[in-house]
Amino acid sequence: MSRVEGYGRVDRGRTVTVTVDGTAYTGHPGDTLASVLLAHDARPLDTSIKYGRPRGIGAAWVEDPTGLVQIEEPFPEPMVLASTVEITDGLVARGVDGQGRLSQVADVARYDHRHVHCDVLVVGAGPAGLTAARRAAREGLDVVLVDDRPEPGGTLTGTETIDGRPSREFVADVVAELAALPTVTHLQRTTAFGHHDDGLVLALERRTRGASRQRVHRIRAARVVIAAGAIERPIVFEDDDRPGVMLAASARDFLHRHGVLAGREVVVCTSDDAAYAAAVDLLDAAAAVRVLDARSRVPEVWARRCAERGIEVSAGTQVRGTRGDDRVTAALVGEERHEVPCDLLLVSGGWNPTVHLFTHVGGRLTWDPALGAFRPGTPLPGVEVVGAADGVFDLAGCLRQAGGPDAPHADEEPGEPTMVLWRTAGDPARQFVDLQRDATVADIARAVGAGMRSVEHVKRYTTIGTAHDQGKTSGIVASGITAELLGRPIEDLGTTTFRPPYTPVAFAALAGRARGDLYDPVRTTPIHDRHVAAGAEFEDVGQWKRARHYPRVGEDMTAAVLRECAAVRTSVGVMDGSTLGKIDVRGPDAAVLLDRLYTNVMSSLKVGRVRYGVMCGNDGMVLDDGTVLRLADDRFLVTTTTGNAAAVLDRMEEWLQTEWPDLRVRLTSVTEQLAIVAVAGPRSRDVVGAVFADVDVTNEAFGFMSWQDTALDGVPVRLARISFSGELAFEVSVGSWYAAAVWDRLLEAGRPYGITPYGTETMHVLRAEKGYPIIGQDTDGTVTPHDLGLGWAVSRKKPDFLGKRSFARPQNQDPRRKQLVSLLPVDAATKLPEGSQIVDLAEDGRLPAPPVPMLGHVTSSYHSAALARPFALALVKGGRERIGEVVGVPVAGELVAAQIGDTVLVDPEGARRDG
Amino acid sequence: MQLIACPWCGPREELEFSYGGQAHVAYPSDPAALTDEQWARFVFFRDNPKGPFAERWAHSAGCRRWFTAVRDTRTHRFLSVGPLAASGSGATS
């Protein structure tokens, strides 16, 4: 046991049991997995990914390049740092060799998001962050303070003095003052992991109470204060990867936070003052300590403190390597590689400001030779960097910088400047730079030897800095060693780019509640429940759930669709068409607008009549189609395809606002307000006539492409003679509230005729038999109305409309353009797969050697009940001129012969339309 | 996620907006009078400057109104936003 009495802020009155690699360990609330393992002198956790070398705990927080564990219980989490896992009873973990394991079952925990707006966001609750937050709060500003560790105070161990009192009292005072203010939100265990444009910071909170396990705070701050501190920098030497080698400040952290002494026989090797604090504190906690300072001058104040305690300090002395099996047993010191026994080798090569959040938003770094570190350069608007993150490494300076006029006071500590020491002399192949990636100085030398000159290239060549820690300790060291090898100053090389996230974030947290049913909104029609009850299979059309077909027991989709098709062609069927886009176009200039948007004339449409219309882009390609009902002189109802409803409305708005703001027209989406039921088939007149007894549904009184208003039990209903199947058909539209009731009435009235609900798949077959294209299925943005055989819907009279000018291009007149035709497989049996290519049929019936010229492709393909055979629609080069010809379609390695035909395969005379 | 200042709603997140390409490309007054090349230039060709660029934006998930903005294409910063000119502000397709 390496617990030290009188140290640490863990709750020793309570015991927590965890299991690591099959062994049970006890710790206390406030411990991390790492501190528990150190307290028990546990075996090394892992072996390294490439060389199988032992790996242990290398640091006390997120910068640890080793110490990875797989959490098994309470829920599997791969590759998390033992140093960052707070222990809870029943926690089960094991070391991971390189790769973790994702859970095979769904995570039942909740994750959520919160939007936060504030005047000032302070990142980091160390001395600088607390002081900055207090200052802003005292100005009456809305302040959010986030800090990634479980408790505030940053690196303050309690041994420091602020305003004449122990530093932990200062921390408690500030926290209490902030807690009393309603304008301040203070969150611990909350990592600001990404900093984006205009003060947007994403922070991940690991919650210990509440309904969700983790929460992403989307914080939009007018000012962002980065007080993220600094990360200690290792020095690279031979076998520096051996467990027992640790960052100096981390050993201090384990002692003061957890009361754990990470070693009894300690060697501290440093090129910086801060490591002396570790030496002194560890000695005071009853370890044997020796200090090796690479610098020739030892700081006076520390020399005295060491002397008082009998700590031996060797100036101008470097560590060259280590000895040991599973963990370090000796340091090799100086040129003679003199063996100094130890079980803990602490390293400090100075500090690197944690500049990640500054660089995320494009902040540039500048090399500070006095610090031997990169620090934030030119300030960014709305961003302030204070304390160690700005390269201010002494407590007095941090408080002064962050605190303004009433800054707290700490005594100045005179010291010696840091010496930049990237590595000591030794075998480069055994000098580990990135311990997680097993990448050494030799790897960097190899990269440089291969011609790499940029640190970004060296990173990718060596993989240094690409592990879970993203090079928090190895990145700058790799830059420094690369610079040395190239014989260039490090400031010329700079650092690799720091990108969000600062620490790994689970996808579950990013997804928040937007998973499962909440992943994407589901839109259902007001008749949806009826389809469910009828056993419909649904298909997704955008966000809509549409009934695709209604299989009966034992039916597959083909059988169900054939039955539904036959019902419509021989008797009557009903379909829910409520998902169609519907736009109410109103105003004195409504007709003018539609004339400009549609290829055909809409202004000549009479009130009470319906017209089919096509919309094209300026490039003359078909964008959408639908019907237009003229409701009044100044009012139209436009329908769009289901998938295009929003896009068509947007486009109409765009032209209205940007090109034709003089037109007095208002556009309103009524897609959700109006339900549509299509009643189709030779008996549809009987059904509609029965339900709406007061309407004269004869062809004379109610002609094709006209509409009439009526009412059902006082509820307004509109009937329209519109057919998408070629059969006699009515569209019944009614306010959504009453749609299900109308559906029920129609089914009831249709019972004598065997009325059959049919789905979108059946609708597709019926329309294809009539050669009606579906925009987006039979078209792809390169198809004109003329290509589709819709030239009749393109006005020659109108002086202009969107797309008209493009129709005059010679390319549009080219008879070799792809045109919509039908394809009938000659064997009358093969259903050609949609998307199949179409080629010339060779004499021998085989696919010739490539290249094979493509004639086009199959756009729609179905079994037809009416034709009693499969058929297809296809876009074929010069297709209309080739009607009657036989072409080849490669299907599963065989060339299937298919005959090109006219698009209208059922009732070409249109005799069925009027019943 | 950038903030974009809608002239009517004030600063809102980028996500609420849609992009409409170069501003002030008016629909030709008489397309029939244009040569094929002139027409193709109108339909397909747009400037792509490095620096300030007058663009059309729509506050699609907000007030649904179109406006013009000058954006620096090097920094993505919006230099100014304003309502559309009376007409002829250009539509894309």
Side-chain angles (χ1 to χ4, degrees):
Chain A
M1 285 294 286
S2 307
R3 289 276 179 193
V4 192
E5 278 308 315
Y7 282 87
R9 300 187 289 276
V10 295
D11 178 1
R12 298 201 188 207
R14 287 159 59 204
T15 300
V16 174
T17 306
V18 298
T19 307
V20 182
D21 285 326
T23 306
Y25 297 98
T26 54
H28 307 289
D31 264 323
T32 62
L33 266 184
S35 66
V36 169
L37 291 170
L38 289 171
H40 289 267
D41 289 323
R43 290 188 315 271
L45 265 176
D46 321 320
T47 53
S48 69
I49 187 161
K50 217 154 88 186
Y51 302 126
R53 294 168 67 102
R55 292 282 183 263
I57 309 295
W61 193 235
V62 293
E63 65 271 30
D64 188 2
T66 53
L68 283 177
V69 294
Q70 163 81 38
I71 305 290
E72 300 288 7
E73 299 285 341
F75 190 79
E77 265 187 283
M79 302 197 52
V80 294
L81 279 172
S83 284
T84 62
V85 178
E86 292 181 64
I87 60 164
T88 49
D89 257 322
L91 186 77
V92 178
R94 60 177 171 86
V96 275
D97 299 342
Q99 225 171 21
R101 177 180 76 87
L102 284 169
S103 167
Q104 298 302 303
V105 295
D107 189 351
V108 293
R110 280 206 198 182
Y111 300 80
D112 59 15
H113 290 181
R114 185 161 175 265
H115 292 256
V116 183
H117 296 261
C118 62
D119 297 318
V120 181
L121 167 69
V122 179
V123 178
L130 286 171
T131 304
R134 186 177 72 175
R135 183 182 177 187
R138 284 179 176 174
E139 287 169 19
L141 299 171
D142 276 324
V143 177
V144 175
L145 170 64
V146 300
D147 185 88
D148 61 348
R149 302 201 72 151
E151 50 169 21
T155 53
L156 293 175
T157 59
T159 57
E160 309 83 357
T161 302
I162 298 175
D163 283 342
R165 300 198 304 145
S167 60
R168 299 302 309 181
E169 287 179 23
F170 163 80
V171 172
D173 287 352
V174 176
V175 168
E177 181 177 339
L178 296 178
L181 292 170
T183 47
V184 177
T185 305
H186 175 188
L187 298 165
Q188 290 298 139
R189 297 186 175 86
T190 304
T191 308
F193 63 83
H195 186 184
H196 305 273
D197 291 321
D198 296 320
L200 178 67
V201 173
L202 302 183
L204 179 75
E205 180 189 5
R206 300 175 300 282
R207 308 187 76 202
T208 51
R209 66 187 73 174
S212 64
R213 180 168 177 262
Q214 295 183 348
R215 170 173 289 174
V216 171
H217 296 263
R218 276 181 105 264
I219 306 165
R220 180 72 73 171
R223 183 155 59 95
V224 177
V225 179
I226 300 168
I231 292 172
E232 198 166 25
R233 184 166 68 210
I235 298 167
V236 173
F237 46 85
E238 257 179 50
D239 302 322
D240 53 359
D241 63 328
R242 197 157 264 151
V245 178
M246 187 182 282
L247 291 172
S250 290
R252 215 172 158 229
D253 219 76
F254 284 121
L255 178 64
H256 291 292
R257 274 180 208 273
H258 310 294
V260 170
L261 199 54
R264 296 279 173 191
E265 219 173 351
V266 184
V267 171
V268 179
C269 62
T270 185
S271 63
D272 176 71
D273 285 3
Y276 282 89
V280 165
D281 286 1
L282 264 63
L283 182 119
D284 290 349
V289 180
R290 188 177 159 184
V291 176
L292 314 173
D293 195 329
R295 300 171 296 181
S296 51
R297 283 168 59 96
V298 173
E300 229 170 90
V301 57
W302 287 110
R304 196 186 68 241
R305 286 172 190 160
C306 286
E308 283 165 11
R309 290 166 171 83
I311 298 174
E312 187 188 333
V313 178
S314 314
T317 307
Q318 300 179 359
V319 73
R320 293 293 174 90
T322 63
R323 284 254 189 282
D325 294 323
D326 262 5
R327 58 175 300 159
V328 80
T329 54
L332 304 180
V333 176
E335 266 176 67
E336 311 79 36
R337 300 167 76 88
H338 174 60
E339 272 195 43
V340 178
C342 64
D343 60 359
L344 181 65
L345 178 53
L346 297 184
V347 188
S348 179
W351 294 78
N352 292 320
T354 307
V355 293
H356 299 67
L357 294 180
F358 179 73
T359 58
H360 285 176
V361 280
R364 298 293 192 152
L365 302 179
T366 176
W367 174 254
D368 187 332
L371 298 176
F374 287 97
R375 64 190 291 177
T378 315
L380 297 172
V383 179
E384 217 176 297
V385 189
V386 296
D390 193 35
V392 179
F393 292 148
D394 67 305
L395 178 59
C398 283
L399 298 172
R400 212 168 37 238
Q401 186 193 25
D406 54 351
H409 172 81
D411 287 337
E412 302 282 343
E413 285 261 326
E416 294 292 329
T418 303
M419 168 186 166
V420 175
L421 177 65
W422 306 118
R423 65 178 185 122
T424 64
D427 175 6
R430 290 168 68 184
Q431 296 183 323
F432 287 83
V433 178
D434 188 328
L435 276 61
Q436 185 57 220
R437 289 289 186 239
D438 263 355
T440 63
V441 173
D443 293 315
I444 299 179
R446 206 166 293 129
V448 169
M452 307 295 150
R453 292 295 176 268
S454 145
V455 287
E456 297 286 2
H457 292 158
V458 170
K459 170 181 174 174
R460 281 149 187 81
Y461 200 83
T462 60
T463 71
I464 290 173
T466 60
H468 68 280
D469 61 328
Q470 292 285 293
K472 286 185 176 61
T473 52
S474 59
I476 308 283
V477 173
S479 285
I481 293 172
T482 305
E484 272 181 8
L485 291 171
L486 288 171
R488 291 171 59 197
I490 187 173
E491 54 265 46
D492 286 5
L493 257 72
T495 69
T496 53
T497 311
F498 303 114
R499 293 190 184 84
Y502 172 66
T503 49
V505 178
F507 282 114
L510 296 175
R513 298 189 64 190
R515 51 197 262 196
D517 286 345
L518 299 180
Y519 171 66
D520 196 33
V522 172
R523 301 174 80 182
T524 56
T525 76
I527 313 172
H528 186 77
D529 290 350
R530 299 294 193 272
H531 309 321
V532 174
E537 292 287 334
F538 290 88
E539 71 169 330
D540 292 335
V541 182
Q543 292 171 331
W544 288 104
K545 294 283 177 203
R546 294 201 72 178
R548 192 172 190 194
H549 59 100
Y550 299 78
R552 289 183 180 163
V553 176
E555 276 185 341
D556 61 5
M557 184 170 89
T558 305
V561 170
L562 284 172
R563 173 180 51 76
E564 291 171 15
C565 284
V568 174
R569 293 268 181 241
T570 59
S571 183
V572 60
V574 282
M575 191 199 67
D576 182 358
S578 303
T579 63
L580 282 180
K582 300 162 216 95
I583 302 166
D584 184 283
V585 182
R586 206 190 293 215
D589 296 318
V592 180
L593 175 70
L594 297 184
D595 271 356
R596 293 180 186 177
L597 290 171
Y598 282 94
T599 59
N600 44 352
V601 184
M602 291 299 171
S603 52
S604 62
L605 188 63
K606 290 186 170 53
V607 175
R609 302 288 300 173
V610 183
R611 190 165 287 169
Y612 172 77
V614 178
M615 278 187 191
C616 290
N618 273 330
D619 60 4
M621 302 304 160
V622 176
L623 286 179
D624 203 61
D625 69 346
T627 54
V628 177
L629 283 68
R630 189 161 204 167
L631 305 182
D633 272 346
D634 62 350
R635 190 174 175 194
F636 295 80
L637 182 74
V638 166
T639 68
T640 74
T641 56
T642 297
N644 258 345
V648 169
L649 178 63
D650 284 352
R651 184 163 178 271
M652 291 169 80
E653 272 291 353
E654 178 183 347
W655 280 90
L656 198 53
Q657 288 186 33
T658 65
E659 275 297 334
W660 309 317
D662 51 312
L663 295 185
R664 293 159 299 165
V665 186
R666 288 288 177 266
L667 305 168
T668 310
S669 167
V670 291
T671 301
E672 307 256 345
Q673 284 72 20
L674 271 184
I676 294 181
V677 178
V679 187
R683 306 314 292 262
S684 60
R685 180 172 283 137
D686 300 305
V687 175
V688 172
V691 175
F692 304 98
D694 55 339
V695 178
D696 182 350
V697 290
T698 61
N699 197 45
E700 295 67 36
F702 199 156
F704 185 60
M705 294 302 253
S706 68
W707 60 267
Q708 292 184 30
D709 277 345
T710 180
L712 189 61
D713 294 349
V715 173
V717 174
R718 180 171 297 135
L719 305 176
R721 283 273 316 271
I722 295 169
S723 177
F724 199 40
S725 59
E727 298 299 322
L728 173 69
F730 293 81
E731 280 186 5
V732 182
S733 49
V734 63
S736 292
W737 283 111
Y738 305 100
V742 167
W743 175 267
D744 292 342
R745 296 281 187 99
L746 290 166
L747 283 183
E748 181 63 34
R751 195 177 295 167
Y753 314 104
I755 193 165
T756 303
Y758 66 97
T760 50
E761 190 65 20
T762 302
M763 182 257 288
H764 283 184
V765 179
L766 295 169
R767 64 88 204 176
E769 290 171 343
K770 292 291 292 178
Y772 300 148
I774 288 188
I775 308 306
Q777 171 158 342
D778 300 298
T779 69
D780 61 4
T782 67
V783 180
T784 69
H786 309 87
D787 299 337
L788 293 174
L790 297 175
W792 57 268
V794 177
S795 166
R796 294 172 191 283
K797 290 181 205 149
K798 285 194 287 184
D800 193 29
F801 56 83
L802 296 186
K804 181 180 168 83
R805 175 63 186 81
S806 287
F807 296 149
R809 293 162 68 245
Q811 291 87 337
N812 284 59
Q813 321 294 329
D814 189 341
R816 290 166 302 172
R817 288 184 65 83
K818 286 184 189 171
Q819 293 159 338
L820 191 71
V821 290
S822 67
L823 277 186
L824 291 176
V826 172
D827 64 6
T830 308
K831 181 171 162 265
L832 304 171
E834 289 175 357
S836 296
Q837 293 291 333
I838 297 163
V839 300
D840 275 320
L841 194 63
E843 297 265 318
D844 61 357
R846 292 192 174 180
L847 194 61
V852 185
M854 299 298 167
L855 302 180
H857 67 278
V858 175
T859 59
S860 298
S861 182
Y862 312 98
H863 290 287
S864 166
L867 303 170
R869 60 175 297 160
F871 74 105
L873 296 177
L875 286 168
V876 179
K877 280 182 189 163
R880 279 199 285 276
E881 280 183 4
R882 301 187 65 161
I883 284 175
E885 289 181 26
V886 176
V887 290
V889 180
V891 180
E894 298 293 317
L895 211 50
V896 176
Q899 187 173 32
I900 297 177
D902 188 81
T903 50
V904 188
L905 295 172
V906 168
D907 184 28
E909 307 79 25
R912 308 177 64 86
R913 187 189 80 186
D914 296 326
Chain B
M1 171 105 44
Q2 221 175 327
L3 292 177
I4 296 175
C6 169
W8 291 277
C9 307
R12 293 287 190 278
E13 294 204 336
E14 193 183 324
L15 198 76
E16 296 183 12
F17 295 82
S18 47
Y19 183 59
Q22 184 176 359
H24 314 308
V25 181
Y27 187 78
S29 55
D30 185 8
L34 301 183
T35 65
D36 282 349
E37 195 194 322
Q38 286 169 325
W39 176 248
R41 289 220 157 259
F42 163 70
V43 176
F44 297 112
F45 286 67
R46 294 295 182 269
D47 295 341
N48 185 22
K50 185 177 179 180
F53 188 38
E55 300 170 331
R56 299 170 333 119
W57 285 81
H59 193 188
S60 311
C63 64
R64 297 187 59 76
R65 293 182 74 175
W66 284 84
F67 59 95
T68 34
V70 178
R71 185 179 62 100
D72 190 323
T73 60
R74 292 166 302 190
T75 60
H76 300 306
R77 303 314 296 176
F78 280 70
L79 305 178
S80 65
V81 294
L84 291 172
S87 76
S89 300
T92 40
S93 57

